[in-house]
């Protein structure tokens, strides 16, 4: 028998004690040297008061039928049984498809859901909607919206930048200087999509330092590097200007590797004209950059010189591309690394996402993982994922994306399983108006998240710990069995069971289930995979009994080493086969906000611009240290960090003092898009005029009937701008926003986010 207490979350494998259907305590997986503190959110999560106990339908929808409604998010719910739910939902899907066509269903359903290869909500919902005849889908992610479009164009891949990144061990051994734009934040390496059984980053940084390695962190927050480093607290949003200044020094001090640029890159000459100011009269010198970024010109000049003299890796965190013009930072980071000429040398070159996720720096599996066959989507209509409100608000209008002109479809039904747009999307007042325009919103959720509250049809899902599954990720050596830890809560069902019932009702049950139970799918996926790989693995029952299976990995990788060794055989998948410092294709699109080479664009949301006169603080809306996104916000680790029940906002004493603020007080954070409450934490270790409020506090409007109402809990997405990175990628730009902060004087409203809505 397997050890019934071992399971896996996106933040790591663990062992659980379970009593009366509830996780009572967890301990880290043996061998995980740096387990994620997020494990502490699990006890109490299965029977938490915010669980959805029964299928439910919004009262107004039940009364009036499908149609636009401003009551979403403010209405009561009516509990229904599974039979009624299946009838209503199948009927509505049929109506939408018959009247408007499959394109009218938005099934992008972005979100992280849970670990597990079979019960993964996105895999289930997409497979179901494909068999229904298709749906409008979404491309890319909130994580990497800009990178996912720019990097394939200029280096031929985005995925391999993470999957085949230079291994931590190679950095420890060979790198002298780690220059990190956005730091290497270990709070983030706790996480890996699909889970992880080890967290080596912290120890790797220890060994790196012990070996004489030095870290330079360019970041508004000192905490972005744990322990010793040289901290350059630059004005946030100015990284590209800093990189240009470093490049300028290399170009003008004869430190650029011309042979590398000639052999492995294209378009350096065009870029250099911009760099030197030959065309616009503005040399991108350290003196130029210092006015923008606030770091001394001499510091920048010395840094560039050191970088050229030593084995240097330039890393760019993912946050740097989750802003307006987010395409520029990874592209310019790559360009700077190309000028140093160390790309493909052990411990040198470029890295993207060290400290963003556990994956970069970990050796990849030699083989793919077992997976659920997905089939084809008969509908070809899609949006870049973060254009969801634009799409709902502007049906029929055109927009640009990656060199194409596309048209927003007319969506009637929004279908979500495994994600929370009230966590991930920007400008929540706008999102609420957008959701108000459609006929029907369907949400599958284990918890009464704000997205579930905004649904018309609420489908209660099991959590990953109430069903059998297995999981692994492409840079972790273990496939892990996830036997159910507890029985499903109340009336909750696996998403698979819900979809199987719906498919049956809609006439394609046999195609959806292929006659298999969930357990038989697990066996099928495993056995099919084991027949296709070229190494022997035990049969499914043995794997299940063992609980884990060790898979072979490819150790010792250096990013792009093969390309360096043989640029013909390993030509990049770019038009030139080389690194494109200038892209003819991008230049040909003639976008005003993304030129043919990396360049500095002055953003709107930054301290150096006009908007900062009105909203003088730069709010970093980064990933929370105390949970994964909005997941388990009610858990102990997340709750213990709150200040008077509000999400903590970190402020420099020099910003708190003039506002009469001290630690522990509640403030109102606002701009012209919205406002929220937050609890003050005073911290000297951030750049003055920068405040930090992580994402993930469940949206909790003071007046749920008013989309512009203040969020009393501290969700920064009531403040962020819903604008794309550029005409090229239209990626998410939620990483930062300008705000003002003031003391909250009125009586403190209660936080109700984790209480269920009224259900009758
Ligand atoms: N301002 C700002 N906004 C951001 C970001 C930022 O930096 N700043 N970061 C962005 C990024 S990188 C990301 S990835 C997104 C994350 O945004 P999301 O991935 O949407 O956030 P999660 O809270 O992980 O949402 C997953 C939901 O799935 C539910 N779930 C778990 N298991 C199951 C299941 O088995 N079935 C079903 N049906 N549901 C399940 C969970 O309860 C949870 O509500 O946020 C983005 N938003
Ligand atoms: N604990 C925890 N870890 C997570 C997640 C989580 O929810 N919780 N989410 C995971 C997901 S889905 C993703 S995509 C990754 C995201 O990974 P990232 O996008 O890299 O993570 P963030 O925490 O948003 O940002 C990292 C740091 O970038 C710095 N930064 C912000 N703006 C600037 C700037 O303009 N210049 C510079 N130089 N630095 C800046 C901030 O100080 C911030 O702490 O994190 C993953 N890891
Ligand atoms: Mo993400």
């Amino acid at each position: 028998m397997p050890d019934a207490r071992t399971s896996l979350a996106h933040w790591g494998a663990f062992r659980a004690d379970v009593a009366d259907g509830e996780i009572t305590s967890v301990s880290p997986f043996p061998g995980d040297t740096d387990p994620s503190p997020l494990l502490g959110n699990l006890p109490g999560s299965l029977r938490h008061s915010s669980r959805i106990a029964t299928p439910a339908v919004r009262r107004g929808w039940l009364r009036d039928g499908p149609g636009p409604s401003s009551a979403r998010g403010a209405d009561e719910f009516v509990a229904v049984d599974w039979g009624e739910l299946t009838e209503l939902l199948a009927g509505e899907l049929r109506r939408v498809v018959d009247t408007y066509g499959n394109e009218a269903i938005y099934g992008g359903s972005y979100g992280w859901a849970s670990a597990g290869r079979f019960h993964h909500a996105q895999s289930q919902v997409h497979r179901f909607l494909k068999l229904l005849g298709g749906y409008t889908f979404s491309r890319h992610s909130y994580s990497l919206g800009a990178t996912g479009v720019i990097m394939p164009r200029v280096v031929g891949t985005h995925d391999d930048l993470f999957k085949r990144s230079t291994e931590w061990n190679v950095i420890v051994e060979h790198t002298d200087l780690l220059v990190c734009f956005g730091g290497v934040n270990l709070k983030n390496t706790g996480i890996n999509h699909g889970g992880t059984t080890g967290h080596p980053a912290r120890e790797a940084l220890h060994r790196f330092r012990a070996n004489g390695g030095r870290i330079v962190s360019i970041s508004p927050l000192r905490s972005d590097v744990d322990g010793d480093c040289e901290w350059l607290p630059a004005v946030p949003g100015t990284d590209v200007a800093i990189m240009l200044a470093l490049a300028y020094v290399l170009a003008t001090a004869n430190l650029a590797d011309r042979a590398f640029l000639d052999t492995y890159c294209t378009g350096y000459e065009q870029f250099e004209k911009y760099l030197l100011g030959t065309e616009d009269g503005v040399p991108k010198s350290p003196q130029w950059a210092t006015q923008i970024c606030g770091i001394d010109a001499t510091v920048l000049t010395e840094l560039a010189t050191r970088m050229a003299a030593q084995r240097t890796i330039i890393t760019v965190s993912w946050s740097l591309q989750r802003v307006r013009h987010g395409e520029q930072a990874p592209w310019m980071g790559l360009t700077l690394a190309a000028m140093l000429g160390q790309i493909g040398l052990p411990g040198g070159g470029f890295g993207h996402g060290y400290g963003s996720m556990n994956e970069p720096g970990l050796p990849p599996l030699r083989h793919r993982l077992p997976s659920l066959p997905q089939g084809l989507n008969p509908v070809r209509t899609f949006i870049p994922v973060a254009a969801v409100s634009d799409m709902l608000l502007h049906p029929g209008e055109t927009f640009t994306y990656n060199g194409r002109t596309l048209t927003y479809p007319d969506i009637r039904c929004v279908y979500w399983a495994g994600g929370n747009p009230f966590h991930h999307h920007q400008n929540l007042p706008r999102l609420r108006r957008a959701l108000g325009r459609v006929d029907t919103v369907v949400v599958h959720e284990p918890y009464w998240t704000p997205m579930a509250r905004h649904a018309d049809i609420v489908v209660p899902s099991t959590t990953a710990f109430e069903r059998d599954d297995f999981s692994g990720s492409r840079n972790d050596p273990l496939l892990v069995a996830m036997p159910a830890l507890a029985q499903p809560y109340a009336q909750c069902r696996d998403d698979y069971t819900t979809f199987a019932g719906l498919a049956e009702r809609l006439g394609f049950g046999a195609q959806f289930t292929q006659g298999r139970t969930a357990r038989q799918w697990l066996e099928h996926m495993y056995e099919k995979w084991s027949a296709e790989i070229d190494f022997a693995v035990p049969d499914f029952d043995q794997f299940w009994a063992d609980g884990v299976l060790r898979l072979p990995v490819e150790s010792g990788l250096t990013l792009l080493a093969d390309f360096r060794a043989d640029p013909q055989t390993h030509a990049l998948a770019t038009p030139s086969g080389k690194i494109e410092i200038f892209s003819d294709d991008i230049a040909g699109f003639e976008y005003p906000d993304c030129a043919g080479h990396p360049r500095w664009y002055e953003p709107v949301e930054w301290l150096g611009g006009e908007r900062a006169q009105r909203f003088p603080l730069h709010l970093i809306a980064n990933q929370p240290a105390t949970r994964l996104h909005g997941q388990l916000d009610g858990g102990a680790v997340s709750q213990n960090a709150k200040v008077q029940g509000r999400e903590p906002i970190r402020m420099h004493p020099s910003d708190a003092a003039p506002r009469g603020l001290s630690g522990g007080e509640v403030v109102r954070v606002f701009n012209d898009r919205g406002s929220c409450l937050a609890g003050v934490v005073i911290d000297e270790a951030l750049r003055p005029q920068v405040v930090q409020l992580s994402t993930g506090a469940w949206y909790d409007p003071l007046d749920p009937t008013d989309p512009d109402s203040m969020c009393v809990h501290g969700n920064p997405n009531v403040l962020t701008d819903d604008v794309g990175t550029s005409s090229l990628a239209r990626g998410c730009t939620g990483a930062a926003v300008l705000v003002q902060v003031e003391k909250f004087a009125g009586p403190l409203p209660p936080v109700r986010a984790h209480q269920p809505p009224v259900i009758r």
Side-chain angles (χ1 to χ4, degrees):
M1 282 300 290
D3 177 358
R5 299 178 311 144
T6 297
S7 194
L8 190 73
H10 291 302
W11 47 96
F14 62 92
R15 295 156 81 103
D17 290 319
V18 179
D20 298 329
E22 184 53 280
I23 299 174
T24 52
S25 69
V26 290
S27 51
F29 189 69
D32 187 345
T33 52
D34 186 24
S36 165
L38 271 57
L39 291 175
N41 282 329
L42 286 165
S45 61
L46 302 186
R47 300 291 183 265
H48 193 265
S49 57
S50 58
R51 279 303 292 273
I52 302 175
T54 150
V57 181
R58 187 171 67 77
R59 180 173 294 285
W61 193 92
L62 204 54
R63 186 186 56 227
D64 306 332
S69 170
S70 59
R72 290 193 179 105
D75 213 347
E76 294 179 357
F77 286 88
V78 178
V80 297
D81 64 30
W82 277 105
E84 291 171 88
L85 181 109
T86 307
E87 277 307 304
L88 283 171
L89 188 44
E92 175 58 0
L93 289 172
R94 195 33 63 235
R95 182 192 75 89
V96 171
V97 169
D98 290 349
T99 319
Y100 306 103
N102 282 78
E103 191 192 69
I105 298 176
Y106 180 57
S109 187
Y110 180 77
W112 267 60
S114 53
R117 304 288 300 170
F118 175 69
H119 289 289
H120 182 234
Q122 271 67 33
S123 307
Q124 293 294 342
V125 65
H126 293 149
R127 197 163 165 273
F128 169 79
L129 291 174
K130 283 170 187 166
L131 289 170
L132 180 69
Y135 60 97
T136 294
F137 63 102
S138 63
R139 282 237 172 118
H140 293 297
S141 61
Y142 280 72
S143 317
L144 289 160
T147 285
V149 175
I150 186 74
M151 296 315 260
R153 288 194 170 277
V154 303
V155 66
T157 178
H158 69 287
D159 235 21
D160 279 357
L161 298 178
F162 324 121
K163 192 171 92 183
R164 303 185 64 76
S165 56
T166 302
E167 193 180 308
W168 276 123
N169 286 332
V170 175
I171 293 177
V172 169
E173 200 180 325
H174 297 281
T175 306
D176 300 313
L177 192 59
L178 195 55
V179 179
C180 322
F181 289 88
V184 183
N185 199 319
L186 298 177
K187 76 172 165 60
N188 288 350
T189 55
I191 307 292
N192 213 51
H193 198 268
T196 184
T197 60
H199 294 92
R202 186 183 306 274
E203 204 233 328
L205 289 181
H206 282 318
R207 285 191 289 134
F208 171 70
R209 290 191 186 97
N211 243 2
R214 300 286 302 166
I215 301 175
V216 176
S217 176
I218 296 114
S219 164
L221 309 183
R222 174 63 182 86
S223 58
D224 279 331
V225 169
D226 189 52
D228 182 44
C229 78
E230 296 165 46
W231 179 36
L232 302 183
V235 174
T238 66
D239 302 86
V240 174
I242 297 172
M243 294 175 192
L244 284 165
L246 299 172
Y248 182 91
V249 176
L250 300 182
T252 53
N254 206 18
L255 294 172
D257 187 334
R258 303 277 166 178
F260 186 90
L261 292 169
D262 288 345
T263 312
Y264 298 97
C265 305
T266 175
Y268 175 73
E269 293 71 26
Q270 280 125 307
F271 167 72
E272 198 185 59
K273 285 188 196 138
Y274 167 77
L275 185 66
L276 301 180
T278 322
E279 274 165 8
D280 62 3
V282 183
K284 310 303 173 302
S285 63
Q287 290 72 23
W288 165 81
T290 193
Q291 306 298 322
I292 297 170
C293 71
I295 303 293
D296 265 5
T298 47
V299 172
L300 296 176
T301 306
E302 276 169 26
L303 178 59
T305 316
R306 270 166 80 196
M307 287 165 73
Q310 294 183 305
R311 183 59 56 89
T312 300
I313 185 163
I314 296 161
T315 71
V316 176
S317 73
W318 295 353
S319 54
L320 265 62
Q321 52 85 62
R322 207 175 300 113
V323 292
R324 182 97 178 109
H325 307 295
E327 293 83 358
Q328 304 303 315
W331 192 5
M332 187 57 216
L334 178 73
T335 300
L336 182 57
M339 291 175 73
L340 287 175
Q342 300 183 23
I343 290 175
L345 293 180
F350 178 68
H352 192 16
Y354 291 93
S356 297
M357 195 73 75
N358 199 38
E359 180 175 54
L362 273 63
L365 295 177
R366 285 188 182 278
H367 304 85
R368 61 173 192 84
L369 288 161
S371 60
L372 181 65
Q374 280 291 309
L376 290 175
N377 184 355
V379 174
R380 300 314 306 151
T381 313
F382 73 92
I383 56 163
V385 66
V388 58
S389 291
D390 282 356
M391 169 183 71
L392 298 177
L393 292 166
H394 300 286
E397 289 184 24
T398 58
F399 65 101
T400 65
Y401 170 73
N402 202 7
R404 298 166 65 180
T405 300
L406 302 170
T407 305
Y408 288 126
D410 189 356
I411 298 299
R412 299 296 167 140
C413 173
V414 168
Y415 205 117
W416 230 282
N420 179 3
F422 282 84
H423 174 273
H424 64 238
H425 199 57
Q426 286 54 67
N427 196 336
L428 295 181
R430 186 168 187 257
L431 175 70
R432 286 192 68 178
R433 291 189 170 86
L435 287 173
R437 296 204 40 164
V438 300
D439 290 352
T440 301
V441 177
V442 185
V443 175
H444 290 217
E445 251 293 338
Y447 295 94
W448 277 112
T449 62
M451 186 57 183
R453 281 171 190 266
H454 282 76
D456 302 306
I457 299 182
V458 178
V459 186
S461 302
T462 51
T463 69
F465 314 118
E466 297 161 319
R467 58 203 183 208
D468 290 345
D469 208 337
F470 58 79
S471 196
S473 62
R474 60 191 188 176
N475 290 57
D476 190 273
L478 297 183
L479 192 69
V480 180
M482 300 166 62
L485 300 177
Q487 290 297 311
Y489 172 68
Q491 295 190 50
C492 294
R493 282 188 181 170
D494 301 345
D495 296 312
Y496 175 71
T497 310
T498 304
F499 286 128
L502 274 173
E504 182 65 36
R505 180 66 189 75
L506 288 160
F508 58 92
Q511 288 101 306
F512 183 76
T513 64
Q514 298 187 6
R516 293 188 189 95
T517 63
R519 174 66 180 211
Q520 286 166 337
W521 270 108
L522 297 184
E523 290 176 26
H524 170 74
M525 283 163 62
Y526 182 92
E527 300 295 355
K528 188 164 182 295
W529 164 78
S530 60
E532 286 165 7
I533 53 180
D534 63 3
F535 64 99
V537 296
D539 66 18
F540 181 78
D541 289 339
Q542 189 61 49
F543 157 62
W544 197 255
D546 294 345
V548 293
L549 172 63
R550 185 165 291 277
L551 303 171
V553 298
E554 205 178 334
S555 293
L557 282 182
T558 289
L559 181 70
L560 297 174
D562 47 1
F563 168 61
R564 184 177 188 113
D566 185 347
Q568 268 76 45
T569 309
H570 297 287
L572 303 180
T574 57
S576 59
K578 300 181 178 188
I579 295 170
E580 303 226 335
I581 295 174
F582 188 93
S583 161
D584 286 325
D585 286 347
I586 297 176
F589 302 151
E590 296 185 345
Y591 291 144
D593 47 7
C594 191
H597 59 75
R599 49 158 288 177
W600 160 250
Y601 292 92
E602 189 179 318
V604 174
E605 304 275 341
W606 82 299
L607 291 171
E610 220 167 79
R611 196 173 154 79
Q613 307 285 322
R614 282 200 296 157
F615 305 113
L617 299 171
H618 187 107
L619 185 147
I620 304 281
N622 60 350
Q623 314 296 312
T626 57
R627 57 188 173 258
L628 173 64
H629 313 139
Q631 296 194 31
L632 309 187
D633 183 29
V637 177
S638 176
Q639 288 300 313
N640 288 344
K642 307 244 175 185
V643 176
Q644 296 197 50
R646 326 289 139 163
E647 195 62 18
I649 184 167
R650 286 202 283 160
M651 293 186 87
H652 194 272
S654 68
D655 293 315
R659 290 172 176 81
L661 300 172
S662 15
E665 285 184 308
V666 172
V667 288
R668 192 175 80 99
V669 188
F670 65 95
N671 62 19
D672 49 2
R673 288 178 210 109
S675 63
C676 67
L677 299 184
V680 176
V681 173
I682 306 287
D683 190 348
E684 289 198 343
L686 32 71
R687 186 187 165 90
Q689 281 185 276
V690 173
V691 295
Q692 180 256 320
L693 171 65
S694 291
T695 60
W698 288 11
Y699 170 70
D700 193 349
L702 183 61
D703 173 4
T705 65
D706 175 11
D708 295 314
S709 182
M710 174 173 79
C711 166
V712 303
H713 192 190
N715 185 324
N717 275 329
V718 295
L719 305 159
T720 48
D721 197 8
D722 185 4
V723 61
T725 52
S726 80
S727 313
L728 186 81
R730 214 242 168 265
C732 162
T733 59
V737 63
L738 291 178
V739 299
Q740 179 57 290
V741 171
E742 65 181 18
K743 193 177 280 202
F744 181 67
L748 207 52
V751 174
R752 295 171 300 191
H754 300 121
Q755 293 167 18
V758 176
I759 306 164
R760 294 190 205 274

